[in-house]
Amino acid sequence: MLTVLGFAMIATFLVLIMTKKMSPIASLVLIPALFCVAVGQGAKLGDYVIEGVGTLAPTAAMLMFAIVYFGVMIDVGLFDPIVRAILRFCKADPMRIVVGTALLAAIVSLDGDGSTTFMITVSAMYPLYKRLKMSLVVMTCVAATANGVMNTLPWGGPTARAATALKVDAADIFVPMIPALAVGLLAVILLAFVLGRRERKRLGTLTLDEALVTEPEPETVLVGAGGGDRLTKAPRGTGTGGGTGTGTGGAGAGGADIAEGDDEEQEFKGLDPDRPTLRPKLYWFNAGLTVALLAAMILELMPIPVLFLIGAALALTVNFPRMPDQRARIAAHADNVLNVSGMVFAAAVFTGVLTGTGMVEHMADWLVGAIPDAMGPHMAVVTGLLSLPLTYFMSNDGFYFGVLPVLAEAGAAHGVSHLEIARASIAGQPLHMSSPLVPAVYVLVGMAKVEFGDHTRFTVKWAVLTSLVVLCAGVLFGII
């Protein structure tokens, strides 16, 4: 019964958010509460929620202060050179912009933190997508999938969890998988190319010079690729009304004119080369602080929430010594902080009920028990296939510490090594990064102003395909 109710709860949640019948926060809270009562454990709902909140509280704290920190770094101009470099490559070609999104997300993912990756990627690319009326859900899809492939780095989490759970060396898992993961990353770039071509066909190809000619009174947004030109508003008529054909709610902009003072104007001023929050004299201090912060994260010198708390305090104090300026910067990013932290605590209700009632355990046991004995010698491939749905519907901790050891023992009985099982288990990470149980995905959709349901509906099929490419490459190369 718990197995059926567990799948029913997840299906109900996904249907409601994808059809936009409920907001993600409301459905993350109300649906599990309803199912908790349905299984006869309503009296324990409070305990499950508190346990879930306690588990995710450090993550929420990390995201809150990380958003403030990187928000300040964006305000003071730390990432402006990255934007100029991307513009130099992308110009105003939608295809190049989408490919640039994939490359940027992959490079920034080297730090091993999804939230950081999404904040930097969206802050750099969002103005381009909005200016050219490109589909924002394409941006979130490509960024999440690229980050999912890179999330398999030993310091990213899943590989370390698999190594710990099966008592093997993380390097023995990751290093042999590099060719398969490289193929997966190439698949993401190819996906970006295909989606970019679709956007180019829908919008047409522009150049910075054409934009300047089309608009006699241009509005400055970003420093151009060459340093002298400035990227200006896309010509009227490049959008397609309200639809993009990709499921995003509002990526087409519906003919809204940013210069007319609507709500989008502030987003474009965010990377204005003449904005008053720039601190060019403190550029190297901010760059050094960011590098030191990321290095401390990788070396695990302190818990990540503590590092970002200290980093945010230093960034605010040094760049904005006056209290009114500090309050203004905090207020400027309060909307993102509230949305993301609220989503994380709402997700704590979902995970708390899913785990506390035993639904996760029963669902995992049912899936493992459903594997035919004839599949025993192929348990590595089975593990890779199961990693797709299980890491999407469960936390990485739940899958790697709860399910993976059972799969590994089943494989060992048929002569399949723990290392092969561990390598196959990370194949589902491109899909995992779009799971509603991953806090970082709410940073992505929140900053990109994309509905989570739109992101899910558009991204899942491409993320599944990328995960299967990684798994098939592992099999073809003899790694799995």
Side-chain angles (χ1 to χ4, degrees), residues 69 73 284-294 310-312 314-315 319:
Y69 179 82
M73 291 297 109
W284 292 111
F285 166 80
N286 290 317
L289 178 62
T290 302
V291 170
L293 181 61
L294 297 179
I310 294 173
L314 280 173
N319 287 285

Side-chain angles (χ1 to χ4, degrees), residues 64-384:
M64 289 171 63
F65 290 105
I67 290 171
V68 172
Y69 179 82
F70 284 103
V72 170
M73 291 297 109
I74 293 165
D75 293 338
V76 300
L78 178 64
F79 302 115
D80 283 21
I82 296 176
V83 174
R84 288 194 291 269
I86 293 171
L87 279 172
R88 191 174 296 115
F89 168 76
C90 297
K91 300 185 184 298
D93 180 357
M95 186 275 288
R96 289 192 175 202
I97 290 172
V98 180
V99 172
T101 302
L103 294 173
L104 179 60
I107 292 170
V108 181
S109 293
L110 289 171
D111 77 338
D113 180 66
S115 301
T116 303
T117 297
F118 296 147
M119 282 186 280
I120 293 175
T121 301
V122 174
S123 66
M125 304 306 295
Y126 180 85
L128 287 172
Y129 278 79
K130 289 296 292 183
R131 180 58 58 184
L132 300 182
K133 294 182 168 58
M134 293 176 62
S135 172
L136 293 170
V137 79
V138 169
M139 175 176 66
T140 62
C141 169
V142 169
T145 309
N147 179 252
V149 175
M150 298 298 290
N151 194 45
T152 55
L153 292 167
W155 55 87
T159 302
R161 288 179 174 89
T164 302
L166 300 185
K167 297 179 175 60
V168 295
D169 193 307
D172 291 336
I173 299 173
F174 177 73
V175 175
M177 278 293 288
I178 289 177
L181 295 172
V183 172
L185 194 56
L186 287 175
V188 175
I189 295 173
L190 178 60
L191 169 64
F193 176 80
V194 171
L195 296 179
R197 290 270 301 210
R198 180 189 296 179
E199 287 295 281
R200 177 197 279 174
K201 183 178 180 181
R202 183 174 68 84
L203 298 170
T205 303
L206 301 175
T207 65
L208 297 181
D209 291 338
E210 287 173 343
L212 284 167
V213 171
T214 304
E215 287 290 336
E217 296 182 359
E219 175 192 358
T220 298
V221 180
L222 297 172
V223 174
D229 293 337
R230 297 185 187 276
L231 178 62
T232 62
K233 179 170 50 186
R236 299 180 192 274
T238 56
T240 57
T244 65
T246 54
T248 182
D257 190 344
I258 294 164
E260 292 175 359
D262 63 8
D263 292 338
E264 304 293 347
E265 186 176 2
Q266 293 302 318
E267 273 69 47
F268 290 97
K269 287 184 177 179
L271 289 177
D272 187 329
D274 300 317
R275 59 191 184 275
T277 58
L278 286 176
R279 297 293 185 270
K281 294 182 179 179
L282 293 172
Y283 182 85
W284 292 111
F285 166 80
N286 290 317
L289 178 62
T290 302
V291 170
L293 181 61
L294 297 179
M297 287 169 53
I298 294 172
L299 297 175
E300 299 181 352
L301 298 181
M302 280 191 286
I304 294 178
V306 177
L307 289 173
F308 272 114
L309 193 156
I310 294 173
L314 280 173
L316 282 168
T317 302
V318 174
N319 287 285
F320 302 98
R322 298 176 62 249
M323 285 296 295
D325 293 337
Q326 291 183 20
R327 286 195 293 268
R329 289 303 90 211
I330 292 173
H333 303 292
D335 187 46
N336 278 338
V337 170
L338 181 60
N339 286 335
V340 172
S341 59
M343 199 75 74
V344 170
F345 284 122
V349 179
F350 193 92
T351 57
V353 170
L354 202 61
T355 304
T357 58
M359 291 181 186
V360 164
E361 183 179 352
H362 281 75
M363 291 162 64
D365 290 343
W366 177 82
L367 286 170
V368 172
I371 300 172
D373 293 338
M375 295 298 295
H378 308 288
M379 278 303 297
V381 176
V382 171
T383 299

Side-chain angles (χ1 to χ4, degrees), residues 36-61:
C36 185
V37 174
V39 300
Q41 300 188 37
K44 298 182 180 179
L45 175 62
D47 295 335
Y48 297 154
V49 172
I50 293 299
E51 184 176 353
V53 168
T55 301
L56 290 182
T59 300

